[in-house]
Each structure stands twice: as C-alpha cells, then as structure tokens.
C-alpha cells in the first residue's frame, strides 16, 4: 500500500475516523475529493515522495524500493535500482517523470545516492559514503542542477555534499 510518512499516515487516519456525514460534505464546486487506499504491489514502507505534476509522482522507501506513477496514483510501477534490495531509501527528489535522485540512508557505505534519467530503466550510483562514522539522511535540490545532501554530525561537524550537475557528481 502507498502511505507516505507520519504526516500522511496521521492525515489518512483522521480522514478515516471522521464521521461519514462530515466526509460527505464537500465545499461547493469540489467533487470527488478524498482519500483512497491504493495497492502499490509491495510491502515496502515509503518515506520519500516527489510529486512532479498532477499525474506523475515518485516514492522511495524500504527494501531499496522506488515506485513511479504516471496516472495520478491509480497504478504504480516498480523502478527500483537493481541490487538495492538491502538499502533503505529515505528521500527522493524528482525533476520530472524521467529524472530523479534517491538517497539511501545508513552508516558508512549504506549511505548512497542514485540517479536516473530514463524513468528508472537504468540507475547510476553517483555517491557512496566511505566514512564509517557518517550517516547521510537527507537530500534536497534548489533547482534541476543544484542540490545538497546532509549527514548527521561527525565529531561535532555536519558533513554536507553539494552537486551542481543535477546529482551526477557530488563534492
């Protein structure tokens, strides 16, 4: 099932718990709005979501899973990087329906970044952490080229990676 983060789960619980009468009342001009549980075809737990349009979104989560929808969530396609089953993806940043970057979390070499330019048909590992004390746990982009990834502090100092080429390389 597709469920994203604690905030999304709390909101879905609140909607489900609301009285039926309240759920049926909709603002004038709004029809069909509401939550529907959709089967993702996996039992992975998702922590990353990047919606790039009304119809296209990426999710990333446990067991090295990355899913992509082009139909507004009605169906999800598994586009996970090959060999990533042991990784825990925490974050996904997508630029459109073809280009995305995912971050795997964990100590040492478990912290990795992957990039796709072809909607997940192929993936390139663009960063692998070599410091066993570092634990990269978030990535963000300011535009399609410039982004950063952040590690928990090591010896009181944050480790920050930067990219200026859309996640193809990191420094």
């Amino acid at each position: 099932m597709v469920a994203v983060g604690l905030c999304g789960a709390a909101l879905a619980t609140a909607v489900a718990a609301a009285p039926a009468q309240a759920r049926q009342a909709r603002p004038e001009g709004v029809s069909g709005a509401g939550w529907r549980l959709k089967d993702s075809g996996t039992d992975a737990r998702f922590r990353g979501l990047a919606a790039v349009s009304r119809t296209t979104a990426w999710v990333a989560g446990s067991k090295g899973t990355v899913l992509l929808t082009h139909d507004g969530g009605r169906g999800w396609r598994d586009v996970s990087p090959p060999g990533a089953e042991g990784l825990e993806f925490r974050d996904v940043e997508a630029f459109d329906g073809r280009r995305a970057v995912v971050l795997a979390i964990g100590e040492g070499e478990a912290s990795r970044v992957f990039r796709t330019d072809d909607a997940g048909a192929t993936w390139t590992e663009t960063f692998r952490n070599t410091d066993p004390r570092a634990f990269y746990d978030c990535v963000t982009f300011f535009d399609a080229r410039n982004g950063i990834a952040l590690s928990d502090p090591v010896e009181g100092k944050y480790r920050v990676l930067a990219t200026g080429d859309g996640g193809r390389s990191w420094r």
Side-chain angles (χ1 to χ4, degrees):
M1 301 295 167
V2 176
V4 181
L6 293 175
C7 207
L11 184 56
T13 300
V15 169
Q21 175 182 13
R23 287 196 309 264
Q24 292 172 355
R26 291 193 174 102
E28 190 174 322
V30 176
S31 63
W35 293 94
R36 290 181 201 89
L37 193 58
K38 297 292 184 178
D39 187 354
S40 66
T42 179
D43 63 351
R45 290 172 288 148
F46 297 102
R47 293 190 177 98
L49 166 67
V52 295
S53 72
R54 291 178 55 92
T55 57
T56 301
W58 301 73
V59 293
S62 65
K63 303 178 184 178
T65 305
V66 179
L67 303 181
L68 174 62
T69 183
H70 286 294
D71 61 10
R74 286 186 293 280
W76 292 89
R77 187 168 47 103
D78 187 338
V79 297
S80 304
E85 298 81 12
L87 299 176
E88 297 290 321
F89 290 127
R90 160 99 31 104
D91 208 344
V92 58
E93 294 288 318
F95 309 107
D96 53 40
R98 297 188 56 77
R99 298 175 301 140
V101 171
V102 294
L103 171 77
I105 63 166
E107 294 176 345
E109 291 192 3
S111 289
R112 302 177 195 182
V113 177
F114 295 84
R115 179 184 165 87
T116 184
D117 287 312
D118 56 12
T122 60
W123 291 88
T124 302
E125 183 179 309
T126 60
F127 171 77
R128 183 181 297 213
N129 178 34
T130 57
D131 184 341
R133 302 166 301 165
F135 184 111
Y136 287 85
D137 53 14
C138 63
V139 63
T140 193
F141 278 80
F142 307 107
D143 55 40
R145 297 188 56 78
N146 300 291
I148 59 172
L150 180 69
S151 168
D152 290 341
V154 175
E155 296 179 0
K157 296 180 182 177
Y158 286 98
R159 302 285 173 96
V160 180
L161 298 174
T163 182
D165 59 11
R168 288 177 185 86
S169 64
W170 297 86
R171 62 184 190 294

